[in-house]
Amino acid sequence: LHPRTWGGGFGIALALTGRVDAFVDYDVDVWDVAPAAVIAPEARGRFSALDGSERLDDKTILVGNEFIHERLLEVFPPGGAAE
């Protein structure tokens, strides 16, 4: 893991174009994640909050491909700390 220096939209684009396996963030706003809800299904990806819901008003996001999304939900806890 490496701290990012760009906006959430760029990380989402990297994940949905396959340049990275996933994008995870624990502090996003609705304008950061709204495009992912529309673009992810078209790109054969998955979008959710870290609790697995597709709520846009959650402060967390996980974007990944359809094959690893569920496993990533197990790896990244919703609260941000190892449980």
Side-chain angles (χ1 to χ4, degrees), residues 25-79:
D25 198 337
Y26 286 92
D27 187 24
V28 292
D29 292 301
V30 67
W31 51 83
D32 293 319
V33 300
V38 176
I39 298 168
E42 298 295 323
R44 295 187 64 196
R46 290 273 318 274
F47 148 80
S48 74
L50 287 175
D51 65 3
S53 72
E54 293 184 358
R55 292 180 38 194
L56 295 178
D57 61 343
D58 194 277
K59 296 297 286 180
T60 64
I61 185 173
L62 169 61
V63 179
N65 69 49
E66 61 188 348
F67 304 108
I68 63 170
H69 191 87
E70 292 300 320
R71 176 66 181 122
L72 290 172
L73 286 173
E74 297 170 10
V75 172
F76 294 99

